[in-house]
Amino acid sequence: GYMASKKTMEVNPTHPIVVTLRQKAEEDRGDTTVKDLIWLLYDTSLLTSGFSLAEPATFANRIHRLIKMGLEIEDDDDEEVDDIPALSGGDAADAADDDDDDDKSDDGTID
């Protein structure tokens, strides 16, 4: 059979979004908002690169939580959020990517 080429996601570790998310993740690994933001950046980078999301409902739930937070709407349930994977070691923010097209070069990498 033939082999499909592996995809590479490049993250600029000095980008202000990545720097801030890394700092916040290191301060509190249990912060669900930081986890949501990291996963949203990853998911949006997949979408803008033409990929499909494995779990679009999880993506929508993350967006809804952040919209509620932005609008200062209290969450209806106090249940533990179970669709957010734990942040791994020191590479937590490495999973984040920036979806701000102004900072991307023509090849999709972040400047």
Side-chain angles (χ1 to χ4, degrees), residues 10-93:
E10 295 183 19
V11 176
N12 178 351
T14 62
H15 192 283
I17 291 174
V18 175
V19 169
T20 303
L21 284 173
R22 180 183 296 274
Q23 289 169 347
K24 290 188 178 297
E26 288 172 356
E27 290 169 9
D28 181 2
R29 291 202 175 278
D31 187 334
T32 57
T33 300
V34 172
K35 291 179 189 178
D36 275 340
L37 291 171
I38 291 170
W39 280 103
L40 283 172
L41 285 172
Y42 176 75
D43 288 344
T44 55
S45 70
L46 288 176
L47 290 172
T48 58
S49 297
F51 293 95
S52 297
L53 298 180
E55 299 180 29
T58 300
F59 178 74
N61 288 338
R62 289 186 184 121
I63 291 175
H64 292 153
R65 280 195 296 273
L66 293 172
I67 290 171
K68 283 181 175 181
M69 185 183 72
L71 295 174
E72 298 178 358
I73 298 173
E74 290 296 321
D75 218 353
D76 296 343
D77 53 11
D78 292 331
E79 296 176 17
E80 183 65 28
V81 178
D82 61 356
D83 64 349
I84 304 176
L87 295 177
S88 62
D91 298 351

